[in-house]
Structure formats: structure tokens, C-alpha cells
Amino acid sequence: MREMLRFSDVSLTYQAENGEVEALRDIDFSVYEGELVSVIGPSGCGKTTLLSLIAGLEPPTDGTVTINGTPGYMLQKDNLLDWRTIRGNVLLGLEICGKKNTANTDYADRLLGTYGLWEFRDKHPSQLSGGMRQRAALIRTLAVKPELLLLDEAFSALDYQARLVVADDVFNILKREKKTAVIVTHDIAEGISMADRLIVLTKRPGKVQTNILLEFDPPDATPLKRREDPAFRGYFKTIWEGLDIHV
Amino acid sequence: MCNVISPERVAYLDGKRKRQRLIRLCQFSVLLFTVGLWEGLARIGIIDAFLMSQPSRVWRTIANLQNNNLLSHIGVTLFETVVGFAIGVVLGIFIAFLLWYSDFLAKVSEPFLVVLNALPKIALGPIIIIWVGAGMQAVIVMALAISLVVTVMEMFNGFKNTDTELIKMARTFGATRLQTFIKIAFPSNLHTLFSCLKINIGLTLVGVIAGEFLVSRAGLGYLIVYGGQVFQMDLVMTSVIILAALAAMLYRMVVFLERIVMRAVKGS
């Protein structure tokens, strides 16, 4: 399988006025084509930093990050621009990349159609539900045809029920579009249910603590189905104990 | 369901409408009473119409505008205001953009902007006249001097406080700083822009009138100074009243423009 992403001994230290903050230390892992990889860990362990490195928003202090393909980033908030229509929002990425041509616009329109937003294309974001907004944000990211998707706590702005449904929704979209994705979350259950592989980071400075393959029956079960799988509980227990959380 | 209006709703709407009508009636009465009192007191001689003028004389001055050139003076003031306002807004936004673009430049300019903002710009009047000549250009520069720094500071603050998440989103698509400005920072600050325009239209008028006081060639500001010097209070009062109407009209136009732009941008 093609390696889409490789972290080789990556460290990152932030320089701030009141000292240095070591966010990540010796991170080493790969992500292969078509894989959905979850990254979980305690808050402040450098999960978002990891994605910023992949997206090229920041350079590592040490080590190398190799990406084969263009990354597409999805943030915690949908960040839809309320002065644009849904279609206008979806086309924003293409406009910025300078790739707004008929073929790509058609592709974006097709995504809107496939994922049930076509009839809302002329509405403004405030007229849509949280789940629909998140879907529009995903389509905006997908429209530029990224080969590696980065989801940063993409569902945490939604209420619990919506979150389960949208996670299912996004999972299906990613699988259907055969995307590779790195999903960052602080929610262990969400991390397990959405991924083929799970990476657990330690407290700051973040190091890879666990890197396990998740196997469910059937392998393509949706996140909601996976939550019912007995294997799910086993994974949850292992990770929970490994995280060693003290409040 | 939506079409059925309950009696409570009807009563509520009726009450609201009545209240609105009462407010309008009171506003109109206050105006009428003031003008009436002014006219009446002048007629019975309690106030001196020579010093205070009176509504009927103001009216006569306005009606006589073919002969006293009033119209051309209004035109001059209006022209200077519109030009000063337009240049101030465009230039102000451009400078604010530069400051937003370069954090270094912003940090360097900060103390200068603070001082310029605090300085009473009227003090620059004589300098402006010497530098650009005593004409319409001096009036426009005066108007700019008064409105520009405020525009720069307001707009820069707005741009600087653009939602960082939105900017990050644009950056994930590889947006350049200029693209971020055009697609994110500027459109998300339309409210800032319009509140700035509303302040600016007033400030520009202050600058224009102050400029006309100094240059004393034409315009309502000139008429006010001239009228004062030759003790023609009718002319002074008329100019002030026209100026008030002009200011209100320009402000209304900005509000109208805001409504059109906001409707176009936000959809229904």
C-alpha cells in the first residue's frame, strides 16, 4: 500500500515569551492510502500541532514530515462564511487555490447533490442545522480533491446526538470517496469508532504511546454499528487504562 | 398556521403602531413648537430678530436662493464633502490594509497614529493652506486630516480582530495574505466599515466647514463666517439649518447604502 504520510522522529518546540513549550517529541508513524487514522490523547498533548505540521502551517523543529498528496483540513468549527451562500462557501477553497473551473465546480455541485445539500445551495449558513453546516464544511474541503484529509475535533461543536449522526455521515463520505484521513479527537469512543488505526499520544510533550490496528466485524461497519461490537469495549478499556487519566 | 393571526397578536401590533405614531407626533410637535416660539417671540419683539433672525426670514432667504447664490454654496460644500469622504474612506481602508498586512509596520506606526489621533487637526489649518493653496483643495485636505486617522484606526482594529478560525480555514487552502484579506478580513468587517462610514460622514463635514472657515471663498462654512462678519444673521441661521439638513441627508444615504449592501450580502 502507498504511504501517504510519514513522520520520522518529528519534534516541535514552541518559543513563547515566557519560555519554551515542547509540544511534540520524537513522533514516528505512517499513514497508508485509504486508511482512517484516529489520533487521541489528553488535552494539550499536541494533537492540533500534529495536524498543523501535516498541513504545512508550521515547520517541525526536528525530523521530517513527508506527505504524498495534497492535504485538506477540516477544523472544529465549520467556519462557513455567513455572507456567502452554501454553494459560495463550498467553492471558496477552489477560489483560493485558483482551481475554480467548470470541471471542479461541477464536481463540487455533484458533492452537494450526493450529500443532500443541493436544495440548500442558495441558503445562507445560518439557515442550516449544525450537522448540515458541518457537511457543507466537509464538501468545501473535498471540493479541492485533497488526498489526505485532516479532521481536527471536527464534531466537538455539535451536541452529542448530532455528533453521532455526523460522525457516521462523515465516515461514510470518507469511505465512499476512498479518502485517507487523520482524525484528531479527545473522545476515545469517537476515535475508536471512526478509524482503522488508532494512535494514542502521551501528555505534553506528546509522544506516540500506542499505535494499534482496529479490527471490527464486518470491517466496513459504520461508527454507530462499531459501538455495538464487543471488540469496541475491549479497545476502549485498553486505551482508557493506557491514558492514565487523573482528574 | 402562519396565516392565522390571533387577536392578541393584532392587539400587540396595533399597540406598537400606535406608539410609533405617538413618537412621530411628539417629534413633529417639538419642532413645530420651537419654530413657532422662535417666530412668535421675534414678532412680538421679546427677542431681537436682528441678532437671532427668525423662521420667516430664514424662509425668505431660502426662497430667494436664485439671487443670493445659496445654491452654488450648497453645491460647493456638498462636492467637497463627497470628495473628501470618498478619498478618506478609500485611503483609510488602504492604509488599514497595509497595517493589517504587515504587523511590523503596524507596530512601528502605532505611537505616530496615537499622537495623530489625539492632535486637534484644526491646528493644521494654516499649514494646509500654505502647503496646498487656499482653495477647494485645502478644504478637502482639512476634511481628510480630520477623518482619515479615525478611519485607519477603526478599520485596522476591525481587520485585526477578524475571527482567527476563519483565517486559519483560509490558510488551510493555502490562501495568501492578500487573498485572506479579500475573501475573509474585508467581508467579515462590513459592519465595522459601515459604522466607520457613519462616523466619517459627520467628521468629514466638520473638516469641510472648518476648512471653509479658514479658506473663506465659498460654501456654507464661508457663508456662516461671512454672514457673522456682516451681521446678517438670516444668512448664518439659514446656512446652519441647511447644513443640518445636509448632514442628516448624507447620513441617511449611508444608512440606505448599508441596507442595500447588507441585503445583497446576507441574502433574504
Short mmCIF file of all heavy atoms in Angstrom, two decimals, chain B residues 154-181:
data_model
loop_
_atom_site.label_atom_id
_atom_site.label_comp_id
_atom_site.label_asym_id
_atom_site.label_seq_id
_atom_site.Cartn_x
_atom_site.Cartn_y
_atom_site.Cartn_z
N GLU B 154 -10.04 52.63 13.13
CA GLU B 154 -11.25 51.80 13.23
C GLU B 154 -11.14 50.56 12.35
O GLU B 154 -11.38 49.44 12.79
CB GLU B 154 -12.48 52.59 12.79
CG GLU B 154 -12.97 53.60 13.80
CD GLU B 154 -13.76 52.92 14.90
OE1 GLU B 154 -14.68 52.14 14.59
OE2 GLU B 154 -13.43 53.16 16.08
N MET B 155 -10.77 50.78 11.10
CA MET B 155 -10.72 49.67 10.15
C MET B 155 -9.60 48.70 10.51
O MET B 155 -9.78 47.48 10.45
CB MET B 155 -10.54 50.17 8.71
CG MET B 155 -11.73 50.88 8.12
SD MET B 155 -13.33 50.07 8.38
CE MET B 155 -13.18 48.60 7.39
N PHE B 156 -8.46 49.22 10.91
CA PHE B 156 -7.35 48.36 11.29
C PHE B 156 -7.74 47.47 12.47
O PHE B 156 -7.49 46.26 12.47
CB PHE B 156 -6.11 49.19 11.62
CG PHE B 156 -4.97 48.38 12.18
CD1 PHE B 156 -4.47 47.28 11.48
CD2 PHE B 156 -4.42 48.69 13.41
CE1 PHE B 156 -3.43 46.52 12.00
CE2 PHE B 156 -3.39 47.93 13.94
CZ PHE B 156 -2.90 46.85 13.24
N ASN B 157 -8.40 48.08 13.45
CA ASN B 157 -8.87 47.30 14.60
C ASN B 157 -9.82 46.21 14.18
O ASN B 157 -9.76 45.09 14.66
CB ASN B 157 -9.58 48.22 15.59
CG ASN B 157 -8.70 48.49 16.78
OD1 ASN B 157 -7.97 47.60 17.20
ND2 ASN B 157 -8.75 49.69 17.30
N GLY B 158 -10.72 46.57 13.26
CA GLY B 158 -11.67 45.58 12.75
C GLY B 158 -10.96 44.43 12.07
O GLY B 158 -11.20 43.26 12.39
N PHE B 159 -10.06 44.77 11.16
CA PHE B 159 -9.33 43.72 10.42
C PHE B 159 -8.54 42.84 11.38
O PHE B 159 -8.51 41.62 11.24
CB PHE B 159 -8.35 44.36 9.41
CG PHE B 159 -9.03 45.10 8.30
CD1 PHE B 159 -8.42 46.18 7.68
CD2 PHE B 159 -10.29 44.72 7.86
CE1 PHE B 159 -9.03 46.87 6.66
CE2 PHE B 159 -10.92 45.40 6.83
CZ PHE B 159 -10.29 46.48 6.23
N LYS B 160 -7.92 43.49 12.37
CA LYS B 160 -7.07 42.76 13.30
C LYS B 160 -7.89 41.77 14.13
O LYS B 160 -7.40 40.72 14.50
CB LYS B 160 -6.38 43.77 14.23
CG LYS B 160 -5.07 43.30 14.76
CD LYS B 160 -4.35 44.41 15.52
CE LYS B 160 -5.14 44.96 16.66
NZ LYS B 160 -4.43 46.01 17.40
N ASN B 161 -9.13 42.12 14.39
CA ASN B 161 -9.97 41.25 15.22
C ASN B 161 -10.81 40.28 14.41
O ASN B 161 -11.77 39.71 14.93
CB ASN B 161 -10.87 42.10 16.12
CG ASN B 161 -10.06 42.83 17.16
OD1 ASN B 161 -9.07 42.31 17.66
ND2 ASN B 161 -10.46 44.05 17.48
N THR B 162 -10.46 40.09 13.16
CA THR B 162 -11.17 39.07 12.36
C THR B 162 -10.99 37.72 13.03
O THR B 162 -9.91 37.41 13.52
CB THR B 162 -10.56 39.01 10.94
OG1 THR B 162 -10.53 40.32 10.41
CG2 THR B 162 -11.37 38.11 10.04
N ASP B 163 -12.06 36.95 13.06
CA ASP B 163 -12.05 35.61 13.65
C ASP B 163 -10.85 34.81 13.16
O ASP B 163 -10.72 34.51 11.97
CB ASP B 163 -13.36 34.91 13.23
CG ASP B 163 -13.55 33.58 13.94
OD1 ASP B 163 -12.58 33.10 14.55
OD2 ASP B 163 -14.67 33.05 13.89
N THR B 164 -9.94 34.46 14.08
CA THR B 164 -8.71 33.76 13.69
C THR B 164 -9.01 32.39 13.09
O THR B 164 -8.25 31.87 12.28
CB THR B 164 -7.77 33.57 14.88
OG1 THR B 164 -8.53 33.03 15.96
CG2 THR B 164 -7.14 34.87 15.31
N GLU B 165 -10.12 31.78 13.52
CA GLU B 165 -10.51 30.47 12.97
C GLU B 165 -10.80 30.58 11.47
O GLU B 165 -10.45 29.71 10.69
CB GLU B 165 -11.74 29.94 13.71
CG GLU B 165 -11.43 29.38 15.07
CD GLU B 165 -10.73 28.03 14.99
OE1 GLU B 165 -11.25 27.14 14.29
OE2 GLU B 165 -9.66 27.88 15.60
N LEU B 166 -11.47 31.68 11.09
CA LEU B 166 -11.78 31.88 9.67
C LEU B 166 -10.49 32.04 8.88
O LEU B 166 -10.35 31.51 7.77
CB LEU B 166 -12.66 33.11 9.48
CG LEU B 166 -14.10 33.06 10.00
CD1 LEU B 166 -14.84 34.33 9.64
CD2 LEU B 166 -14.83 31.85 9.46
N ILE B 167 -9.54 32.78 9.46
CA ILE B 167 -8.28 33.00 8.78
C ILE B 167 -7.51 31.68 8.65
O ILE B 167 -6.95 31.37 7.61
CB ILE B 167 -7.45 34.07 9.51
CG1 ILE B 167 -8.15 35.42 9.31
CG2 ILE B 167 -6.01 34.11 9.02
CD1 ILE B 167 -7.51 36.57 10.00
N LYS B 168 -7.57 30.88 9.72
CA LYS B 168 -6.89 29.58 9.68
C LYS B 168 -7.51 28.71 8.59
O LYS B 168 -6.80 28.04 7.83
CB LYS B 168 -6.99 28.89 11.03
CG LYS B 168 -6.19 27.60 11.08
CD LYS B 168 -6.18 26.97 12.46
CE LYS B 168 -5.38 25.66 12.41
NZ LYS B 168 -5.43 24.92 13.68
N MET B 169 -8.85 28.76 8.51
CA MET B 169 -9.54 27.98 7.48
C MET B 169 -9.02 28.37 6.09
O MET B 169 -8.70 27.51 5.27
CB MET B 169 -11.04 28.22 7.62
CG MET B 169 -11.93 27.46 6.67
SD MET B 169 -12.19 28.29 5.12
CE MET B 169 -13.18 29.68 5.66
N ALA B 170 -8.93 29.68 5.84
CA ALA B 170 -8.44 30.14 4.53
C ALA B 170 -7.00 29.67 4.31
O ALA B 170 -6.63 29.27 3.21
CB ALA B 170 -8.53 31.65 4.45
N ARG B 171 -6.21 29.70 5.38
CA ARG B 171 -4.81 29.29 5.24
C ARG B 171 -4.69 27.81 4.92
O ARG B 171 -3.76 27.39 4.24
CB ARG B 171 -4.04 29.60 6.53
CG ARG B 171 -3.63 31.07 6.62
CD ARG B 171 -2.64 31.26 7.76
NE ARG B 171 -1.40 30.52 7.52
CZ ARG B 171 -0.61 30.09 8.51
NH1 ARG B 171 -0.91 30.31 9.76
NH2 ARG B 171 0.51 29.45 8.22
N THR B 172 -5.64 26.99 5.42
CA THR B 172 -5.56 25.57 5.11
C THR B 172 -5.76 25.31 3.62
O THR B 172 -5.38 24.27 3.12
CB THR B 172 -6.60 24.73 5.89
OG1 THR B 172 -7.91 25.11 5.47
CG2 THR B 172 -6.47 24.91 7.38
N PHE B 173 -6.35 26.28 2.92
CA PHE B 173 -6.46 26.14 1.47
C PHE B 173 -5.28 26.82 0.77
O PHE B 173 -5.27 26.97 -0.43
CB PHE B 173 -7.77 26.76 0.96
CG PHE B 173 -8.99 25.97 1.33
CD1 PHE B 173 -9.88 26.44 2.27
CD2 PHE B 173 -9.23 24.74 0.74
CE1 PHE B 173 -11.00 25.71 2.63
CE2 PHE B 173 -10.35 24.00 1.08
CZ PHE B 173 -11.24 24.48 2.02
N GLY B 174 -4.34 27.27 1.57
CA GLY B 174 -3.14 27.89 1.01
C GLY B 174 -3.33 29.34 0.61
O GLY B 174 -2.65 29.84 -0.28
N ALA B 175 -4.27 30.04 1.28
CA ALA B 175 -4.55 31.43 0.93
C ALA B 175 -3.35 32.33 1.23
O ALA B 175 -2.69 32.17 2.26
CB ALA B 175 -5.76 31.93 1.68
N THR B 176 -3.07 33.26 0.32
CA THR B 176 -2.04 34.27 0.58
C THR B 176 -2.66 35.32 1.50
O THR B 176 -3.87 35.32 1.73
CB THR B 176 -1.61 34.96 -0.72
OG1 THR B 176 -2.77 35.60 -1.28
CG2 THR B 176 -1.06 33.98 -1.72
N ARG B 177 -1.82 36.22 1.99
CA ARG B 177 -2.32 37.27 2.89
C ARG B 177 -3.34 38.16 2.15
O ARG B 177 -4.35 38.54 2.72
CB ARG B 177 -1.13 38.09 3.37
CG ARG B 177 -1.41 38.91 4.60
CD ARG B 177 -0.84 38.27 5.86
NE ARG B 177 -1.02 39.20 6.98
CZ ARG B 177 -1.85 38.98 7.99
NH1 ARG B 177 -2.53 37.88 8.06
NH2 ARG B 177 -1.97 39.86 8.97
N LEU B 178 -3.06 38.45 0.89
CA LEU B 178 -3.96 39.29 0.10
C LEU B 178 -5.30 38.58 -0.10
O LEU B 178 -6.37 39.18 0.06
CB LEU B 178 -3.33 39.62 -1.25
CG LEU B 178 -4.16 40.52 -2.17
CD1 LEU B 178 -4.35 41.89 -1.54
CD2 LEU B 178 -3.51 40.66 -3.53
N GLN B 179 -5.26 37.29 -0.41
CA GLN B 179 -6.50 36.52 -0.57
C GLN B 179 -7.28 36.49 0.74
O GLN B 179 -8.50 36.62 0.75
CB GLN B 179 -6.18 35.08 -0.99
CG GLN B 179 -5.89 34.92 -2.47
CD GLN B 179 -5.57 33.49 -2.82
OE1 GLN B 179 -4.84 32.82 -2.10
NE2 GLN B 179 -6.10 33.02 -3.93
N THR B 180 -6.56 36.30 1.84
CA THR B 180 -7.22 36.28 3.14
C THR B 180 -7.94 37.59 3.38
O THR B 180 -9.06 37.62 3.91
CB THR B 180 -6.17 36.06 4.26
OG1 THR B 180 -5.37 34.96 3.90
CG2 THR B 180 -6.84 35.78 5.59
N PHE B 181 -7.31 38.69 2.95
CA PHE B 181 -7.94 40.00 3.13
C PHE B 181 -9.21 40.11 2.29
O PHE B 181 -10.27 40.48 2.80
CB PHE B 181 -6.96 41.11 2.75
CG PHE B 181 -7.55 42.49 2.94
CD1 PHE B 181 -7.62 43.05 4.20
CD2 PHE B 181 -8.04 43.20 1.85
CE1 PHE B 181 -8.17 44.30 4.38
CE2 PHE B 181 -8.60 44.45 2.03
CZ PHE B 181 -8.66 45.00 3.29
#
